[in-house]
Amino acid sequence: MKIQTTSNGFDLVLDGRLILRHRSDAPCLFVGQGDARMHMYRGNFDIEDYVIERTPLAHAVVSGSVIAFSAAPGQPVRLTLQMSGDEHNGAIAFRADDAAINRLWVRIAAEQGEHVWGGGEQMSYFDMRGRRFPLWTSEPGVGRDKTTEITFKADVTGKSGGDYWNTNYPQPTYLSSRRYALHVETTSYSAFDFRRDDFHEIEVWAVPDRIELTARPTFIALVEVMSERFGRQPTLPEWVYGGAIIGLKDGANSFERLERIIAAGTKVSGVWCEDWVGLRHTSFGARLFWDWKANDDRYPALRQRIAELEDRGIRFLGYVNPYLAVDGSLFPEAEAAGYFATDESGKTALVDFGEFDCGVVDFTNPEAAAWFAERVIGQNMIDYGLSGWMADFGEYLPIDVKLANDVDAKVMHNAWPTLWAEVNARAVESRGRTGEILFFMRAGFTGVQKHCPLLWAGDQSVDFTRHDGLVTVISGALSSGLLGNAYHHSDIGGYTSLFGNVRTAELIMRWAEMGAFTPVMRTHEGNRPRDNLQIDQDPQVLAHFARMTRVYVHLVPYLKALVEEASTQGLPVQRPLFLHFEGDARTYAIQDAYLYGADLLVAPVSQAGRTEWSTYLPAGADWVHVWTNETFAGGSDVTVPVPFGQPPVFYRAGTRFAALFAGLRTL
Amino acid sequence: MKIQTTSNGFDLVLDGRLILRHRSDAPCLFVGQGDARMHMYRGNFDIEDYVIERTPLAHAVVSGSVIAFSAAPGQPVRLTLQMSGDEHNGAIAFRADDAAINRLWVRIAAEQGEHVWGGGEQMSYFDMRGRRFPLWTSEPGVGRDKTTEITFKADVTGKSGGDYWNTNYPQPTYLSSRRYALHVETTSYSAFDFRRDDFHEIEVWAVPDRIELTARPTFIALVEVMSERFGRQPTLPEWVYGGAIIGLKDGANSFERLERIIAAGTKVSGVWCEDWVGLRHTSFGARLFWDWKANDDRYPALRQRIAELEDRGIRFLGYVNPYLAVDGSLFPEAEAAGYFATDESGKTALVDFGEFDCGVVDFTNPEAAAWFAERVIGQNMIDYGLSGWMADFGEYLPIDVKLANDVDAKVMHNAWPTLWAEVNARAVESRGRTGEILFFMRAGFTGVQKHCPLLWAGDQSVDFTRHDGLVTVISGALSSGLLGNAYHHSDIGGYTSLFGNVRTAELIMRWAEMGAFTPVMRTHEGNRPRDNLQIDQDPQVLAHFARMTRVYVHLVPYLKALVEEASTQGLPVQRPLFLHFEGDARTYAIQDAYLYGADLLVAPVSQAGRTEWSTYLPAGADWVHVWTNETFAGGSDVTVPVPFGQPPVFYRAGTRFAALFAGLRTL
């Protein structure tokens, strides 16, 4: 990284890439103060900033690798930047010389035609150029499109409609098509604004620790560095390769249904019963009972059942989240030990989750975190026999609680998903079962990669909508994958059914077709199982699903090779097309298709009523359509028929897996 | 006005009222630069500001009446304020010493419990404390409440849902309960932010010319000053007192319908046919043909008809707006003379109004304004025999056109309604008929008072909704009335019928009950006459309406006294309760009732399905319920029965008009 001074400023250049361009009449840095109004309602945030001051720091004094910024010559230094790094890697450390600063804006040099990706897990826009992205973990929104009725109704009834940028997993990191990555090391509220032609503006509601920069000649090399930087997942458990994980939350009845599903020819690796903790009945319907231990009433003799299933190669998975209901057995134990976040008066802070209140276990207290890992997850879940679970939530840390580490909850809010992942990972590690127990999370932030073995795409609506339906899963996989999250999957059939929006058979089938080409296939009954079609309720859907589990299992030899690449290189299993075709700029904004490893291109049917599907095949290879064996030259759009069971999938001609892929036709 | 310096700042005090409090660590002034994105779609604006710089001007040097502001000692002066005035009146003149400044924020000292009113014509919130009000003339919005289906649908289909602050008539002026008024002299985009406890923040997207301050011991005295400052309307034409103005747009058929309405006992002063110019048929339905002259096809022998009506004491009114359709007869005339605003290339700028384009007559060109006044309004309208018209629009000046005066269209946008009013007023004046011809406008801005003899409340939805229904008219009348607009009225029955929302008989009747207690009674067929009930389609509605016109006429002696007060004192005909009861703080936020002059209190039934209505009667007087003669002591809430035809109206016991008011019972 080089600082090149000019008569009235400097350029910061990383391996030939202009990163900062500072001139006294066009500064790259602004500081000031803001006073934010933040309101949380059940994980949805209403945030508005009142910017009191935003001062351009026009005057920069460069002394070696240190740059001191002030508003004007002779004025006090307000911010000092310390540059470090080598030719390809840089870090800009920030030091506030003015303690009053709580807002900072940096302009990063940008180019016309530049693309940017990342920002954590982005569900609506994979290429982030042209838009602004607040980075704050929250509910993802229902509908996520202010022009739709569902979004409107969700907004009006629960402030929960969301928008394109809402995500469970934000991360202040992006990759640029200029072959560099930029990461802001902070957990404070931040936003990436990619709407300007000449610069990207990074906004942080704090003075961040540092900005990290990485330049590499290829996208693959950049992604490898991201994975090293943020942490690499263990390999998938061997048992996962046995087939799909079937989501059932029907009490003991779940097992009878499981047998019928298996009898239909379904390959099954696990059964996931989130209601293993029992139910709470509210006016909104049945909810889970948030006291993390097996419920004998709902699942009699579960321990024995788990053992019997395991003997047949079928694992049992459960559910947990970081809250404890006031009327559960764990709450008084945690409260007596002082493990909860507190309110201003020092009392346990209670969060309303809809007709029941919970305490928030304070993971900044090492003893509380250790207790949750050992007492709750270790004893009640792992020792009981669970092989995995949904580690739900992580986005709801209230912004006004008091924490053991004395850091402002607004600063810890974004850190929470990673702390939560760490508690889960430590519990697994404590039993020596890392890489064998599989938990999955929707929430994330910087560093979640190190602890969470598998992301799930959160709570899509049960539809094909552009901003909350099936297609958003792909954007989620691709964006998070570039930042070191190798494993991603989603609820087959979607999750959120509200305002009369229910699943169609077609939706479940198209979703299963996509799920077969992801590292983990898992179904979900959704938030309203009784109102929505289930995979075992329609013979055509069940037969189709069973077939897709056989596709998944058939591909295991290939998937294992991808897992190996994830483990050694940090490459995600699902990849944007440009990762292997970076010379083909037409691939840069594609977000409805992906490479499943280097050799399979998957273009899921993400709209209803389609009998044909068109997709772009990247230039530089020939592509064989899996179901017809027809070969297409790359560099063009192709259209293929898409009867149910034949999702648009192409393999790279000449791949060493050609025989395996050709075998799909015979299933 | 006094400047009191302190060790690190100053206080600006007007007649004992702290206006500015400046300290180096708590400055009152901020300047900087912004880059706004503005998009107009059919009069609805999408505006977002990118604030590049907002620098506190912490260092103030007071030299007599001049205060020089800079960011810090030794830094260049960026803004100079020149104070002037006497004990009760002050002006702060602004001079930019830095030409780059295009944003300015001033903090005005505020108190807990303070109320503020004004902001032009505010339809949703009369008391503006606790909210932020952008001040930019635009369409007012359909629904104006983001939680309603109508607003949602209007937003999605036409970006036209609006919000609480959208108004045709903004004005950067407010009155405070601290008995002072503040006016910002600028036409640039501005916003009043009344959300803070300790200060009001005024934001201007320019360095304004000045801020004007007025302190008076009473609200009435303040309102008198406002009327003097902004201009006072001529008295109402004598003919208006004859009854209601009946809005019909049914071609020649209008006259037959008028006769039936008269035959039902309706007192009629005029007939208003906005379709006098003929129709244009679009896919949205019939629109007016925007070429301002009588249309013989739609109204054969209109001139003679007008004369005949006038002989019977019934005036004819028409319609005009400041645009000329490209396919009309006036367009080529104006274009040949170079009277239109132009685009970047110098060609006539065309504005899409929905399947037809129009030119915008450039009123900054004195010749164009004179041409419109003489050739269009003078010859085609006044000389033709019109006694009044709706002078529609004024809010649509595109922000990217080139104008003859070379001022940025963004700066002229807010000025346009006043220029438009002036064109109309000059036309009337040119025929010596000021105070005899009555035109009415919805758009406004600073100075419209001087030219426009009558406001109308714009385009309410045909319902009782809180933010777009009947009740909003009251807030509009009260807010604009405080700023010197003495005359206000509305479309009886409302205007906007969209998405299946149509008039009920009840709505028309309740609206007519209110209209009888406003200076002008006028009906409107609405935007979709065929889908909506009209006053002459239901015998009960027509009989009720006829009765309310008799109420109106019965009150004329009183109304004439109010007109006299408007003329001599500038007091509005419709007044907030606190104007005459300023000792009763319970009146400060009332916006669903008003004083009609000093002696009548009107509390219109503004909700559906009501058989009783409650209202607060101010302390300091006894109040006689008009329909029952029951007397109530002021200072309490009272409930009265509200059968149709008996709106909740009370007169002040002991008024010299007691006999007149008592006579209402005998109608």
Side-chain angles (χ1 to χ4, degrees):
Chain A
M1 203 156 68
K2 280 183 236 162
I3 304 169
Q4 299 166 342
T5 55
T6 70
S7 62
N8 65 338
F10 69 87
D11 289 339
L12 182 75
V13 177
L14 180 69
D15 198 15
R17 296 156 183 85
L18 179 64
I19 302 294
L20 297 181
R21 182 180 189 280
H22 178 86
R23 299 293 182 273
S24 57
D25 58 354
C28 70
L29 203 57
F30 304 75
V31 295
Q33 288 179 57
D35 178 13
R37 186 181 57 72
M38 288 185 150
H39 179 72
M40 177 174 89
Y41 181 74
R42 297 187 184 166
N44 300 289
F45 285 83
D46 182 16
I47 296 175
E48 187 181 23
D49 198 24
Y50 169 43
V51 176
I52 299 166
E53 180 201 353
R54 178 177 156 132
T55 299
L57 296 186
H59 185 59
V61 176
V62 179
S63 316
S65 62
V66 174
I67 309 179
F69 284 86
S70 57
Q75 288 299 299
V77 171
R78 298 189 70 185
L79 203 74
T80 304
L81 273 54
Q82 164 88 53
M83 311 293 178
S84 62
D86 57 26
E87 195 185 341
H88 305 291
N89 307 286
I92 306 171
F94 291 80
R95 188 186 75 210
D97 299 281
D98 173 353
I101 295 172
N102 69 5
R103 293 290 182 277
L104 179 141
W105 299 264
V106 191
R107 289 180 172 182
I108 308 295
E111 291 178 1
Q112 295 251 358
E114 180 181 348
H115 300 254
V116 284
W117 310 278
E121 185 184 21
Q122 289 294 336
M123 310 311 293
S124 275
Y125 296 106
F126 176 48
D127 183 352
M128 302 166 84
R129 195 78 194 272
R131 292 185 176 80
R132 181 173 183 271
F133 294 83
L135 298 164
W136 182 256
T137 183
S138 75
E139 282 284 349
V142 177
R144 314 179 70 258
D145 176 348
K146 297 303 184 198
T147 69
T148 66
E149 277 280 346
I150 284 182
T151 308
F152 168 69
K153 287 177 176 164
D155 274 336
V156 169
T157 59
K159 302 180 188 295
S160 57
D163 212 332
Y164 68 88
W165 50 268
N166 286 101
T167 177
N168 305 106
Y169 174 8
Q171 184 178 322
T173 311
Y174 70 81
L175 272 63
S176 160
S177 58
R178 294 169 60 209
R179 273 47 161 206
Y180 78 90
L182 182 149
H183 168 69
V184 186
E185 186 60 13
T186 185
T187 61
S188 294
Y189 183 99
S190 64
F192 285 174
D193 191 344
F194 296 114
R195 292 178 298 182
R196 308 281 155 182
D197 286 342
D198 300 337
F199 58 88
H200 309 316
E201 189 165 284
I202 291 169
E203 174 178 350
V204 188
W205 291 9
V207 175
D209 296 339
R210 63 186 176 280
I211 288 179
E212 301 172 14
L213 294 156
T214 309
R216 289 295 182 276
T218 67
F219 292 127
I220 284 183
L222 273 179
V223 171
E224 286 181 20
V225 176
M226 292 301 100
S227 172
E228 281 162 15
R229 165 64 182 86
F230 298 116
R232 199 161 281 183
Q233 296 81 55
T235 55
L236 287 178
E238 190 69 20
W239 59 262
V240 163
Y241 300 124
I245 299 168
I246 309 299
L248 293 164
K249 46 179 175 178
D250 207 358
N253 195 35
S254 299
F255 299 114
E256 292 166 35
R257 290 174 60 191
L258 178 66
E259 294 308 327
R260 290 198 295 273
I261 290 167
I262 292 169
T266 308
K267 300 285 189 186
V268 174
S269 65
V271 58
W272 167 53
C273 300
E274 59 178 17
D275 60 334
W276 76 292
V277 291
L279 298 184
R280 174 194 302 276
H281 295 281
T282 74
S283 67
F284 299 105
R287 304 273 307 264
L288 303 183
F289 195 79
W290 292 13
D291 187 45
W292 313 119
K293 62 178 185 185
N295 182 297
D296 277 341
D297 292 335
R298 190 145 180 90
Y299 284 93
L302 179 59
R303 208 160 182 165
Q304 188 180 338
R305 180 79 79 166
I306 290 174
E308 289 166 6
L309 285 169
E310 191 157 339
D311 288 345
R312 296 164 61 196
I314 298 171
R315 298 300 183 106
F316 185 82
L317 295 86
Y319 173 97
V320 67
N321 72 42
Y323 311 106
L324 297 176
V326 291
D327 51 353
S329 63
L330 292 165
F331 183 92
E333 199 176 316
E335 188 166 49
Y339 291 158
F340 286 122
T342 60
D343 61 19
E344 286 288 340
S345 70
K347 281 191 257 180
T348 297
L350 295 181
V351 181
D352 167 24
F353 281 92
E355 299 179 31
F356 65 98
D357 287 337
C358 291
V360 179
V361 180
D362 182 355
F363 297 140
T364 72
N365 173 355
E367 287 177 28
W371 173 82
F372 202 101
E374 171 56 31
R375 172 76 184 85
V376 182
I377 302 180
Q379 293 174 21
N380 286 3
M381 298 173 68
I382 302 177
D383 296 348
Y384 192 82
L386 271 60
S387 290
W389 52 85
M390 172 180 279
D392 204 5
F393 290 98
E395 313 88 348
Y396 280 54
L397 183 73
I399 51 183
D400 54 0
V401 294
K402 295 279 161 195
L403 298 170
N405 69 350
D406 265 341
V407 176
D408 187 339
K410 290 191 189 76
V411 176
M412 291 310 295
H413 175 83
N414 270 342
W416 219 253
T418 301
L419 292 178
W420 172 226
E422 188 174 3
V423 166
N424 283 270
R426 288 208 172 162
V428 173
E429 194 183 8
S430 74
R431 301 315 196 249
R433 296 184 60 190
T434 304
E436 208 270 305
I437 278 178
L438 188 68
F439 67 89
F440 43 99
M441 291 177 60
R442 62 174 199 178
F445 196 71
T446 306
V448 75
Q449 298 92 332
K450 186 177 170 188
H451 306 296
C452 177
L454 174 65
L455 296 180
W456 111 85
D459 301 344
Q460 282 71 43
S461 279
V462 291
D463 57 35
F464 289 105
T465 53
R466 167 66 185 86
H467 291 285
D468 199 27
L470 185 156
V471 75
T472 66
V473 170
I474 305 173
S475 181
L478 300 184
S479 51
S480 60
L482 290 178
L483 305 186
N485 299 279
Y487 303 106
H488 191 272
H489 81 311
S490 64
D491 298 338
I492 290 175
Y495 172 80
T496 303
S497 168
L498 287 175
F499 315 114
N501 186 33
V502 294
R503 288 172 171 175
T504 60
E506 179 184 21
L507 181 78
I508 298 178
M509 291 193 283
R510 292 307 190 194
W511 214 304
E513 290 173 4
M514 177 169 72
F517 295 88
T518 64
V520 175
M521 269 190 101
R522 179 181 51 78
T523 63
H524 198 310
E525 292 199 340
N527 66 321
R528 293 188 171 170
R530 302 286 165 271
D531 300 338
N532 280 270
L533 187 64
Q534 302 300 330
I535 57 163
D536 56 340
Q537 289 178 333
D538 177 319
Q540 186 198 1
V541 170
L542 182 56
H544 174 275
F545 179 74
R547 175 176 147 73
M548 295 321 298
T549 63
R550 295 195 294 277
V551 167
Y552 172 83
V553 170
H554 181 87
L555 288 171
V556 162
Y558 178 63
L559 176 55
K560 285 186 173 178
L562 303 184
V563 169
E564 178 66 16
E565 284 180 350
S567 181
T568 56
Q569 277 190 278
L571 294 186
V573 173
Q574 293 170 263
R575 305 169 190 171
L577 274 56
F578 65 73
L579 208 60
H580 293 286
F581 296 91
E582 56 187 288
D584 185 352
R586 280 193 61 185
T587 62
Y588 284 14
I590 291 176
Q591 65 175 79
D592 63 350
Y594 57 94
L595 293 176
Y596 190 54
D599 294 341
L600 276 184
L601 187 150
V602 183
V605 176
S606 54
Q607 294 172 14
R610 300 299 296 265
T611 57
E612 294 187 325
W613 193 253
S614 296
T615 196
Y616 178 73
L617 299 175
D622 288 337
W623 297 92
V624 182
H625 182 226
V626 160
W627 313 109
T628 62
N629 208 30
E630 187 176 354
T631 300
F632 297 94
S636 63
D637 289 301
V638 300
T639 300
V640 293
V642 288
F644 290 122
Q646 298 190 3
V649 176
F650 305 82
Y651 66 84
R652 195 198 287 248
T655 165
R656 66 185 171 103
F657 292 98
L660 181 77
F661 298 148
L664 286 170
R665 284 209 308 287
T666 67
L667 286 183
Chain B
M1 203 158 66
K2 281 183 232 158
I3 305 170
Q4 298 166 341
T5 54
T6 69
S7 62
N8 66 336
F10 68 87
D11 290 339
L12 183 74
V13 177
L14 181 69
D15 197 14
R17 297 156 182 85
L18 178 64
I19 302 294
L20 297 182
R21 182 181 188 280
H22 178 87
R23 300 292 182 272
S24 57
D25 58 353
C28 69
L29 203 56
F30 303 75
V31 295
Q33 287 178 58
D35 179 14
R37 184 180 58 70
M38 288 184 150
H39 179 71
M40 177 174 89
Y41 180 74
R42 297 187 185 165
N44 300 290
F45 285 81
D46 183 16
I47 296 176
E48 187 181 23
D49 198 25
Y50 169 41
V51 175
I52 299 166
E53 179 201 353
R54 177 178 157 130
T55 298
L57 296 186
H59 184 60
V61 176
V62 179
S63 315
S65 63
V66 175
I67 309 178
F69 284 86
S70 57
Q75 288 300 298
V77 171
R78 297 190 70 185
L79 201 75
T80 303
L81 272 54
Q82 163 88 53
M83 311 295 177
S84 61
D86 56 27
E87 194 185 340
H88 304 291
N89 307 286
I92 306 170
F94 291 80
R95 189 186 76 211
D97 299 282
D98 172 354
I101 295 171
N102 69 7
R103 293 290 181 278
L104 180 139
W105 298 265
V106 191
R107 290 180 172 181
I108 308 295
E111 291 177 2
Q112 295 251 359
E114 181 181 347
H115 299 254
V116 284
W117 310 278
E121 185 184 20
Q122 290 293 336
M123 310 310 292
S124 276
Y125 296 106
F126 176 48
D127 183 352
M128 304 165 84
R129 196 79 195 270
R131 293 185 174 79
R132 181 175 184 271
F133 293 82
L135 297 164
W136 182 256
T137 182
S138 74
E139 283 284 349
V142 177
R144 315 179 71 255
D145 176 349
K146 297 305 185 198
T147 69
T148 66
E149 278 280 345
I150 283 182
T151 307
F152 168 69
K153 287 177 175 163
D155 274 336
V156 169
T157 59
K159 301 179 189 293
S160 56
D163 212 331
Y164 68 89
W165 51 268
N166 286 101
T167 176
N168 305 106
Y169 173 8
Q171 182 177 322
T173 310
Y174 70 80
L175 272 64
S176 160
S177 58
R178 293 169 59 210
R179 277 38 164 213
Y180 78 89
L182 182 150
H183 168 68
V184 185
E185 185 61 12
T186 185
T187 61
S188 294
Y189 183 100
S190 64
F192 285 174
D193 191 345
F194 296 114
R195 291 178 299 182
R196 309 280 156 183
D197 286 342
D198 301 336
F199 58 87
H200 309 316
E201 190 166 282
I202 292 170
E203 173 177 352
V204 187
W205 292 8
V207 174
D209 296 338
R210 65 186 175 281
I211 287 180
E212 301 172 13
L213 294 156
T214 307
R216 288 294 183 277
T218 66
F219 292 127
I220 284 184
L222 273 179
V223 172
E224 286 182 19
V225 176
M226 292 301 101
S227 172
E228 280 162 18
R229 165 64 182 87
F230 298 116
R232 199 162 280 181
Q233 294 83 54
T235 55
L236 287 179
E238 190 69 22
W239 59 262
V240 163
Y241 301 124
I245 299 168
I246 309 298
L248 294 163
K249 46 180 176 176
D250 206 357
N253 193 36
S254 300
F255 300 114
E256 291 166 35
R257 290 175 59 191
L258 178 66
E259 295 307 327
R260 289 198 295 273
I261 290 167
I262 292 169
T266 308
K267 300 286 187 185
V268 174
S269 66
V271 57
W272 166 54
C273 301
E274 59 178 16
D275 60 335
W276 77 291
V277 292
L279 298 184
R280 173 194 302 277
H281 296 281
T282 74
S283 66
F284 301 103
R287 304 272 308 264
L288 304 182
F289 196 78
W290 293 13
D291 187 44
W292 314 118
K293 61 178 186 185
N295 182 295
D296 278 342
D297 293 335
R298 189 144 181 92
Y299 283 92
L302 179 59
R303 209 159 181 164
Q304 188 180 338
R305 180 80 77 165
I306 290 173
E308 289 166 7
L309 285 168
E310 191 158 339
D311 288 345
R312 297 165 59 197
I314 298 170
R315 298 301 182 103
F316 185 83
L317 295 85
Y319 173 98
V320 66
N321 73 42
Y323 312 106
L324 297 176
V326 292
D327 50 355
S329 63
L330 292 165
F331 183 93
E333 200 175 316
E335 188 167 50
Y339 291 158
F340 286 122
T342 60
D343 62 19
E344 285 289 340
S345 70
K347 281 191 258 181
T348 297
L350 295 181
V351 180
D352 166 25
F353 282 92
E355 300 178 31
F356 64 99
D357 287 336
C358 291
V360 179
V361 179
D362 182 355
F363 296 140
T364 72
N365 173 353
E367 288 176 28
W371 173 83
F372 202 102
E374 171 57 31
R375 172 75 185 86
V376 182
I377 301 179
Q379 294 174 20
N380 286 4
M381 296 173 68
I382 301 175
D383 296 349
Y384 192 82
L386 271 58
S387 290
W389 51 86
M390 173 181 278
D392 205 6
F393 290 99
E395 312 87 347
Y396 280 54
L397 183 74
I399 51 183
D400 55 359
V401 294
K402 295 278 162 197
L403 298 170
N405 69 351
D406 265 340
V407 176
D408 187 340
K410 290 191 190 75
V411 176
M412 292 309 295
H413 175 83
N414 270 343
W416 219 253
T418 303
L419 292 178
W420 172 225
E422 188 175 4
V423 166
N424 283 270
R426 287 207 175 161
V428 174
E429 193 184 9
S430 75
R431 300 315 195 250
R433 295 184 62 190
T434 303
E436 206 270 309
I437 278 178
L438 187 68
F439 66 90
F440 43 99
M441 291 178 59
R442 62 174 198 177
F445 196 71
T446 307
V448 75
Q449 296 92 333
K450 186 178 171 188
H451 305 297
C452 176
L454 175 64
L455 295 180
W456 111 86
D459 301 343
Q460 281 71 41
S461 280
V462 290
D463 57 35
F464 289 106
T465 53
R466 167 65 185 87
H467 291 284
D468 199 27
L470 185 156
V471 75
T472 65
V473 170
I474 305 173
S475 181
L478 299 185
S479 52
S480 61
L482 290 179
L483 305 186
N485 299 278
Y487 303 107
H488 191 272
H489 81 311
S490 64
D491 297 339
I492 290 175
Y495 173 78
T496 303
S497 168
L498 288 175
F499 315 115
N501 186 34
V502 294
R503 288 173 171 173
T504 60
E506 180 184 20
L507 181 78
I508 297 179
M509 290 192 283
R510 292 307 190 193
W511 215 304
E513 289 173 4
M514 177 169 70
F517 295 88
T518 65
V520 174
M521 269 189 101
R522 179 181 51 77
T523 63
H524 199 309
E525 292 198 339
N527 66 320
R528 292 187 173 172
R530 301 287 165 271
D531 300 339
N532 279 271
L533 186 64
Q534 301 300 331
I535 56 162
D536 55 340
Q537 289 177 333
D538 176 319
Q540 187 199 358
V541 169
L542 183 55
H544 174 275
F545 179 75
R547 173 176 149 73
M548 295 321 298
T549 63
R550 295 195 295 275
V551 167
Y552 172 84
V553 171
H554 180 87
L555 289 171
V556 162
Y558 179 62
L559 176 55
K560 284 186 174 177
L562 303 184
V563 169
E564 178 67 17
E565 284 180 350
S567 181
T568 55
Q569 277 190 277
L571 293 186
V573 173
Q574 292 170 263
R575 305 170 190 171
L577 275 55
F578 65 72
L579 209 60
H580 293 287
F581 295 90
E582 56 188 290
D584 184 352
R586 281 193 62 185
T587 63
Y588 285 12
I590 292 176
Q591 65 175 78
D592 62 352
Y594 57 94
L595 292 177
Y596 189 55
D599 295 339
L600 276 185
L601 188 150
V602 183
V605 177
S606 53
Q607 294 173 13
R610 300 299 296 267
T611 57
E612 294 187 327
W613 192 253
S614 297
T615 196
Y616 177 73
L617 298 176
D622 288 336
W623 297 92
V624 182
H625 183 226
V626 160
W627 312 110
T628 61
N629 206 31
E630 188 177 353
T631 301
F632 298 93
S636 63
D637 290 302
V638 299
T639 301
V640 292
V642 288
F644 290 121
Q646 297 190 4
V649 176
F650 305 82
Y651 66 83
R652 194 196 288 245
T655 165
R656 67 186 170 103
F657 292 98
L660 180 77
F661 298 148
L664 285 169
R665 283 209 309 286
T666 66
L667 285 184

